């Protein structure tokens, strides 16, 4: 698993948040903006717009389907529940057929929400997209 993003947490951007009039405090097992948000960058959360940044971290990667199986785009809710190697393991386990690939996101999200509930750490929304990269010889048809 190769991490392509930076976790934008309240502690990493404390100076900017406090300069904008916000606070950074410990709540629900994480440092949070105004005691609520565990991220310091967001495109939503209009109530916190003055405290958060919508500026993304951007990386460019040359994809080679023989070396890269998939890319996972997900909110912090998924990665609060799983470390990247565990996400990669689940994604690879579901790479075996078109049917398995279609079920991957559901498995990831159900497990993430279940873990959050069991740990009582967050009521965070969790969103994920898994895009598989297939070589011509890996295509097994849409109905498989």
């Amino acid at each position: 698993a190769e991490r392509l993003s930076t976790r934008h947490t309240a502690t990493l951007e404390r100076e900017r948040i406090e300069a904008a009039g916000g606070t950074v405090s410990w709540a629900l097992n994480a440092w949070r903006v105004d005691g609520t948000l565990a991220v310091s960058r967001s495109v939503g959360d209009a109530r916190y717009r003055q405290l958060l940044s919508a500026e993304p971290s951007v990386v460019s990667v040359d994809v080679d389907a023989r070396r890269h199986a998939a890319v996972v785009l997900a909110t912090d809710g998924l990665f609060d529940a799983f470390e990247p190697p565990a996400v990669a393991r689940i994604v690879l386990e579901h790479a075996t057929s078109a049917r398995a690939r279609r079920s991957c996101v559901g498995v990831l999200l159900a497990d993430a929400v279940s873990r959050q509930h069991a740990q009582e750490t967050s009521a965070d929304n969790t969103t994920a997209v898994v895009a598989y990269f297939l070589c011509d010889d890996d295509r097994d048809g849409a109905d498989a």
Side-chain angles (χ1 to χ4, degrees):
E2 180 181 353
R3 182 183 290 269
L4 301 178
S5 65
T6 302
R7 288 195 62 129
H8 298 287
T9 62
T11 54
L12 291 176
E13 300 192 53
R14 178 188 295 265
E15 188 174 312
R16 180 186 54 75
I17 293 163
E18 290 177 346
T23 62
V24 174
S25 59
W26 183 259
L28 292 171
N29 298 319
W31 289 99
R32 298 181 180 271
V33 176
D34 279 359
T36 304
L37 299 174
V39 295
S40 57
R41 297 192 186 195
S42 175
V43 293
D45 300 307
R47 185 172 92 169
Y48 298 99
R49 188 162 289 138
Q50 71 183 34
L51 305 177
L52 304 178
S53 171
E55 184 177 331
S57 295
V58 178
V59 297
S60 177
V61 176
D62 291 327
V63 174
D64 178 350
R66 291 169 297 210
R67 290 187 326 115
H68 300 102
V71 64
V72 177
L73 307 172
T75 59
D76 62 314
L78 182 71
F79 292 106
D80 287 345
F82 295 107
E83 291 296 320
V87 172
R89 181 185 51 73
I90 293 168
V91 168
L92 290 174
E93 286 172 356
H94 286 80
T96 58
S97 71
R99 180 172 286 131
R101 288 189 293 273
R102 285 192 299 270
S103 71
C104 182
V105 170
V107 169
L108 284 168
L109 295 180
D111 286 355
V113 170
S114 176
R115 287 173 183 225
Q116 289 174 2
H117 180 73
Q119 296 169 0
E120 297 180 1
T121 56
S122 177
D124 202 355
N125 60 20
T126 304
T127 303
V129 174
V130 177
Y132 285 93
F133 305 120
L134 302 175
C135 296
D136 285 337
D137 57 343
D138 290 338
R139 299 183 194 282
D140 60 1
D143 296 326

